[in-house]
Amino acid sequence: MATLFAKTALAVDEADAELDALQGGAAASEAALSRQRRVDAARSKLDGARPEIDKFKKKADEADPEKRMYGKAMTEKCLALAAKFAAVWDRSEEVKAAIDPLAATEAAAVDAHAKAAEEAEKAEQKKREAEARAVEEAAAAATAKRSKELAAANAKAAKEVEASAKAATATAAA
């Protein structure tokens, strides 16, 4: 089982390795938003290690020999870890400062693309709605026309029946 010191040193080493990878040429082809998430994760790892680093450093800096908890070797390890932490933290700020503007530009482009896609979808939806209304209006017009034609045919048939009835009555009376 790893000691707290070993776990804390490992967190600093992992953050340092991630920053190395982010500053390498291969990471440049990666999306800026992805690199921003990676640097933020490394900084989060460092933030998590900070309280322990501070405790180790405070104990290593103890001037009173009666209160010292660490021997010479552990004191040197603690001070070296604190120095490495400070250097890695400073480098994380530099990497973040370099990536954040690129990520902001990329995020703006992603947002603009999403907005354009949303507007295109809304326009397409309006077009489909207009086409549906046109079909409904054409169907309503056809139904109205058919109703008029039927009404006219019924009126014509009624007049013909009435004329036939008059003719039959006139023929019967004659």
Side-chain angles (χ1 to χ4, degrees):
M1 188 156 138
T3 65
L4 181 59
F5 182 87
K7 289 178 185 177
T8 305
L10 179 63
V12 173
D13 289 342
E14 287 173 347
D16 190 30
E18 183 67 11
L19 294 172
D20 284 343
L22 285 166
Q23 287 182 310
S29 63
E30 186 178 347
L33 289 171
S34 175
R35 288 184 291 151
Q36 184 182 48
R37 283 189 293 277
R38 287 175 59 193
V39 76
D40 288 345
R43 288 173 56 89
S44 178
K45 191 172 282 201
L46 290 171
D47 276 335
R50 183 186 304 272
E52 297 307 322
I53 297 287
D54 291 343
K55 289 178 193 175
F56 293 139
K57 184 162 181 353
K58 182 178 178 183
K59 290 175 184 177
D61 284 340
E62 180 59 57
D64 186 351
E66 297 294 319
K67 294 182 180 178
R68 283 190 194 142
M69 296 185 72
Y70 301 140
K72 182 179 179 185
M74 186 62 179
T75 297
E76 288 174 2
K77 285 181 183 179
C78 289
L79 294 175
L81 181 59
K84 181 174 183 177
F85 174 86
V88 172
W89 180 261
D90 289 346
R91 193 157 61 101
S92 76
E93 288 180 336
E94 292 169 10
V95 172
K96 183 161 179 60
I99 292 173
D100 279 351
L102 300 172
T105 301
E106 188 176 292
V110 167
D111 289 346
H113 179 69
K115 187 175 181 177
E118 183 180 331
E119 288 174 2
E121 178 59 32
K122 284 180 182 177
E124 184 62 29
Q125 180 64 28
K126 284 183 180 181
K127 180 181 174 186
R128 286 191 299 267
E129 288 171 359
E131 289 171 352
R133 274 193 307 276
V135 167
E136 288 173 6
E137 289 170 0
T143 300
K145 180 180 177 185
R146 182 73 181 134
S147 293
K148 283 183 182 179
E149 290 172 351
L150 286 174
N154 285 341
K156 182 178 178 184
K159 284 183 184 179
E160 289 174 358
V161 168
E162 186 180 319
S164 290
K166 282 184 185 179
T169 306
T171 307

